[in-house]
């Protein structure tokens, strides 16, 4: 359903599609929050809700999708607040793109638990504090974009051990 003119809120009843493998609602005119009922997607491999007008926080419930392994893409929305610690449950996802939102707080130390992560894109947000040294635990990380945030401190020297970066 991506790249259409779908508008309004995302119906929570979409969460009833428990056998869904992929959801693409990108490039529409969707507003409101991400339904917590998306936690019912027991077989979801990829989620793309980018380029909409979604707001509020990222529900911690949707970060515990055991089969999510391809990508988790929410860029260019109006999502705010800190990223929940439950991001650690995205252990098998290849790409996380949260760029172009209003996310704030520290970059979670638990991001190091995302062992299959190849691309981590969190540019153009309001993340603050240091870059977590736990990123070195993500051995396959190829792309890291933390630009245009409010990060402080120095780049952890352990980052040089990420050979794929």
């Amino acid at each position: 359903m991506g790249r259409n003119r779908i508008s309004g809120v995302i119906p929570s009843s979409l969460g009833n599609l428990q056998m869904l493998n992929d959801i693409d609602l990108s490039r529409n005119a969707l507003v409101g929050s991400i339904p917590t009922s998306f936690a019912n997607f027991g077989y979801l491999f990829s989620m793309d809700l980018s380029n909409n007008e979604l707001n509020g926080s990222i529900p911690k419930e949707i970060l515990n999708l055991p089969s999510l392994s391809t990508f988790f893409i929410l860029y260019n929305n109006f999502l705010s607040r800190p990223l929940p610690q439950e991001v650690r449950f995205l252990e098998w996802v290849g790409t996380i793109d949260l760029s172009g939102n209003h996310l704030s707080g520290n970059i979670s130390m638990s991001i190091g638990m995302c062992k299959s992560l190849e691309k981590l894109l969190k540019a153009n947000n309001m993340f603050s504090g240091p870059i977590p040294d736990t990123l070195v635990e993500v051995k396959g990380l190829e792309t890291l974009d933390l630009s245009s945030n409010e990060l402080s401190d120095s780049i952890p020297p352990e980052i040089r051990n990420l050979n794929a970066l």
Side-chain angles (χ1 to χ4, degrees):
M1 294 184 282
R3 297 176 188 252
N4 283 289
R5 294 183 207 154
I6 301 170
S7 60
V9 299
I10 301 173
S12 63
S13 60
L14 277 180
N16 295 335
L17 302 173
Q18 296 177 9
M19 302 299 284
L20 195 67
N21 293 132
D22 302 286
I23 187 162
D24 182 355
L25 295 173
S26 65
R27 298 182 188 272
N28 281 295
L30 297 168
V31 298
S33 59
I34 300 169
T36 57
S37 64
F38 279 17
N40 297 332
F41 295 146
Y43 299 95
L44 196 71
F45 296 118
S46 59
M47 179 185 297
D48 188 348
L49 306 178
S50 63
N51 289 304
N52 280 290
E53 298 174 24
L54 300 173
N55 59 35
S57 60
I58 297 173
K60 62 182 178 183
E61 294 85 357
I62 69 167
L63 296 174
N64 196 13
L65 294 170
S67 60
L68 196 60
S69 57
T70 308
F71 52 79
F72 181 67
I73 300 178
L74 301 176
Y75 70 82
N76 289 344
N77 278 290
F78 296 100
L79 299 168
S80 59
R81 301 189 186 101
L83 181 63
Q85 292 291 323
E86 285 78 5
V87 70
R88 70 182 178 274
F89 295 131
L90 296 177
E91 187 175 357
W92 304 113
V93 73
T95 299
I96 296 175
D97 190 347
L98 305 174
S99 301
N101 281 288
H102 300 289
L103 298 169
S104 60
N106 289 343
I107 295 176
S108 175
M109 298 285 285
S110 65
I111 199 75
M113 297 182 78
C114 300
K115 303 294 185 206
S116 297
L117 196 58
E118 295 176 358
K119 294 181 182 177
L120 178 60
L121 310 167
K122 292 184 168 188
N124 298 308
N125 277 291
M126 294 181 284
F127 288 112
S128 58
I131 297 170
D133 58 3
T134 55
L135 278 175
V136 300
E137 297 172 27
V138 187
K139 299 295 183 198
L141 192 62
E142 297 174 356
T143 305
L144 175 64
D145 188 354
L146 303 174
S147 62
S148 299
N149 278 288
E150 299 171 9
L151 299 172
S152 60
D153 214 349
S154 59
I155 298 172
E158 298 87 1
I159 295 283
R160 71 175 176 265
N161 296 331
L162 292 171
N163 295 329
L165 192 61

